[in-house]
Amino acid sequence: MPQERGTWSASQTTLDKATKVMEAAAASGDLYRNGLGMIASENIVSPMVQKIVASDLHGRYAEGLPGKRYYQGCDDFDTIESVGIELAKSVFKAPFANIQSTSGTVSNIAALKALAKPGDAITAVSTADGGHISHARMGAVGLRDLNLSTYPWNEERMEPDVDGACDLIRSIEPKVALIGQSVFLFPTPLEEISAAAHEVGAKVMYDGAHVLGLIAGGVFQDPLREGADLMTGSSHKTFPGPQGGFLLSSSEDPAFQKRLNNAIFPGVCSSYHLHHVAGKVIALAEFEEYGAAYAKDIVANAQHFASALAAEGFDVLAESRGYTASHQVLTRHGETDSGAGAKAARLLEDAGIITNMNMLPGDTKAMTPSGLRLGVQELTRVGMGRLEMEEVARLYARVLIHNEEPSKVKNDVKELKSNFQVIRYCFNDEERTGYPF
Ligand SMILES: Cc1ncc(COP(=O)(O)O)c(C=O)c1O
């Protein structure tokens, strides 16, 4: 008897491995469904985005640009990507948009490929002051073999020291002046820095990974009109789409635009995850409708949350500037390099509150920092507002100030979260079921 092709039989040990993975994915869904996701770089996707990300597109290829493909079968995806490019141009008010990048880091690698050659100079915010690893020699900057100089930092204002940054740019004459951080409380004074960069012939690259949704929502700053030649970013932080990236530019120059497109493909991508691109397009359409309200609510919530934490007795950074103008809040939990931030993050996790430890000014070791970086974009997305921000600050205080048993607090976290299971600021294409899994 010929062996049946595509048989369903499988060994129990292999099945057990798959089962373990499915169970872990479901448990991760439960963790966030019952808990408070407060990592500033994360978000949840809408029901329509969930649906398209799980579509047949996940297995397809479409190298090139709409209308100029290397494979057959791309006509429908051409429609999707064309709609997406136009939406991205409109949402980000950008003359140029490429929506293919598979992450913020990939966008940065492509941008640096387009803007600089190995050995060129670049200026950026240091990782100790909140710059991203892709801005450092250990990341994309090193991959492109660029000579990095970092801006002096104004700890009081939590932004680059503007005069110092301009002096540095004028003396180094870099090819790229890179702006933007992972710890991003306040808009960067971009016009002055851009003027200094353009004076010496540098391109200004703004990494808006964290704040892209706030920028598009009109509540942070407007880099492409404040001198940035290029803006990169993630599609899944304050911009609430699936994981991926954007590459945007204020340039109308077709030759420069072509260089940017080529830097993505064939530069750093072959397949660019069509299901995620389609998800980004849906998220862009949803953002066009609801993005301004979402962005405004995020910043209001972050400011309420910071004030509420301070009222509970926490040391919240940047008090003199009103704590924050973004989705992020920074708290200090002990001495510099003491690891107090790591301990606080672990205790909060035991209470069902997911955060990350973060280096604060003065900290020198990434694994034993004194602070936490907190983000409210996900709680905002499920409808939490001022009252809930106060409630969440109380939950933090119970764990970290009043030393209550985290497992006891966890019950109240679950109770609070049970009332916030519907994803908002998105299309209601069918019954909205809340979190994935
Ligand atoms: C400033 C900045 N740039 C780039 C990235 C990388 O983004 P992705 O995780 O999408 O690669 C991050 C990630 O958090 C970031 O904070």
Side-chain angles (χ1 to χ4, degrees):
M1 190 133 129
Q3 195 189 351
E4 202 184 333
R5 277 189 242 158
T7 171
W8 302 112
S9 72
S11 75
Q12 194 56 49
T13 40
T14 315
L15 275 175
D16 286 348
K17 287 174 196 159
T19 303
K20 194 169 169 183
V21 170
M22 294 304 283
E23 285 174 356
S28 179
D30 283 345
L31 176 70
Y32 287 93
R33 184 184 304 109
N34 299 327
L36 302 176
M38 299 192 69
I39 290 185
S41 54
E42 296 185 349
N43 216 320
I44 43 179
V45 292
S46 73
M48 205 186 269
V49 172
Q50 288 174 43
K51 205 174 201 175
I52 203 160
V53 164
S55 72
D56 176 77
L57 288 166
H58 83 276
R60 305 297 158 200
Y61 265 71
E63 291 176 336
L65 286 166
K68 280 171 72 181
R69 301 293 188 189
Y70 295 83
Y71 301 150
Q72 299 310 120
C74 296
D75 289 355
D76 299 315
F77 187 71
D78 279 2
T79 303
I80 295 170
E81 190 170 344
S82 302
V83 170
I85 291 169
E86 289 314 309
L87 270 170
K89 286 184 188 172
S90 142
V91 164
F92 297 109
K93 297 189 204 72
F96 168 86
N98 182 302
I99 63 170
Q100 298 179 345
S101 162
T102 51
S103 77
T105 300
V106 167
S107 301
N108 284 348
I109 296 171
L112 294 179
K113 186 171 188 309
L115 298 180
K117 293 195 180 53
D120 282 345
I122 184 169
T123 52
V125 174
S126 82
T127 49
D129 293 325
H132 186 246
I133 44 176
S134 59
H135 308 174
R137 286 286 307 176
M138 68 180 124
V141 161
L143 188 71
R144 194 68 180 134
D145 200 16
L146 303 178
N147 289 320
L148 173 68
S149 300
T150 56
Y151 307 119
W153 187 252
N154 183 330
E155 281 183 18
E156 174 79 17
R157 295 185 58 77
M158 290 298 283
E159 65 186 23
D161 173 80
V162 183
D163 291 342
C166 292
D167 288 348
L168 181 77
I169 289 168
R170 287 196 182 97
S171 71
I172 301 266
E173 300 193 358
K175 273 279 175 327
V176 183
L178 173 51
I179 295 294
Q181 304 99 245
S182 301
V183 176
F184 215 158
L185 295 177
F186 302 103
T188 305
L190 198 55
E191 283 175 359
E192 269 181 88
I193 295 176
S194 298
H198 290 150
E199 220 176 278
V200 299
K203 290 279 191 212
V204 177
M205 171 177 160
Y206 184 101
D207 183 343
H210 263 268
V211 288
L212 213 53
L214 308 182
I215 288 169
V219 297
F220 196 64
Q221 67 183 129
D222 194 2
L224 295 180
R225 268 142 296 278
E226 292 168 21
D229 300 286
L230 204 67
M231 181 159 74
T232 58
S234 307
S235 51
H236 49 267
K237 296 180 165 96
T238 53
F239 183 85
Q243 295 222 350
F246 289 111
L247 185 55
L248 306 151
S249 176
S250 53
S251 173
E252 307 265 4
D253 174 9
F256 185 63
Q257 295 186 349
K258 188 169 178 207
R259 187 139 55 102
L260 296 179
N261 277 329
N262 286 344
I264 296 281
F265 174 83
V268 294
C269 289
S270 170
S271 165
Y272 50 92
H273 309 179
L274 308 195
H275 54 323
H276 279 200
V277 172
K280 275 186 247 183
V281 179
I282 298 294
L284 281 163
E286 291 177 329
F287 200 93
E288 189 161 67
E289 197 70 30
Y290 310 107
Y294 178 46
K296 186 166 155 271
D297 293 347
I298 290 174
V299 175
N301 272 348
Q303 290 170 345
H304 290 322
F305 182 53
S307 304
L309 284 173
E312 293 291 338
F314 285 102
D315 181 358
V316 186
L317 268 69
E319 182 184 0
S320 65
R321 295 195 73 184
Y323 303 116
T324 183
S326 74
H327 60 306
Q328 296 184 3
V329 174
L330 286 185
T331 49
R332 186 187 300 282
H333 297 270
E335 297 294 312
T336 296
D337 281 334
S338 62
K343 186 172 167 216
R346 280 195 301 273
L347 284 169
L348 288 170
E349 183 174 11
D350 290 343
I353 302 172
I354 312 300
T355 64
N356 65 269
M357 61 181 174
N358 217 92
M359 286 169 74
L360 300 182
D363 282 329
T364 59
K365 299 189 187 86
M367 292 309 284
T368 53
S370 58
L372 291 178
R373 185 191 64 173
L374 311 166
V376 299
Q377 68 293 336
E378 186 168 333
L379 302 188
T380 306
R381 191 129 157 86
V382 290
M384 290 197 187
R386 184 181 196 121
L387 288 178
E388 289 74 34
M389 292 302 108
E390 289 167 9
E391 178 61 32
V392 173
R394 276 195 292 277
L395 293 164
Y396 273 64
R398 284 172 59 189
V399 177
L400 299 177
I401 294 180
H402 308 303
N403 301 320
E404 249 187 74
E405 183 53 45
S407 58
K408 249 182 74 192
V409 179
K410 193 174 188 173
N411 294 331
D412 295 335
V413 166
K414 189 172 175 184
E415 170 70 25
L416 170 67
K417 190 60 188 302
S418 67
N419 298 316
F420 295 92
Q421 293 294 320
V422 176
I423 300 173
R424 308 200 179 243
Y425 309 97
C426 58
F427 300 140
N428 186 3
D429 66 323
E430 56 186 344
E431 192 189 355
R432 288 189 281 184
T433 51
Y435 282 75
F437 298 109

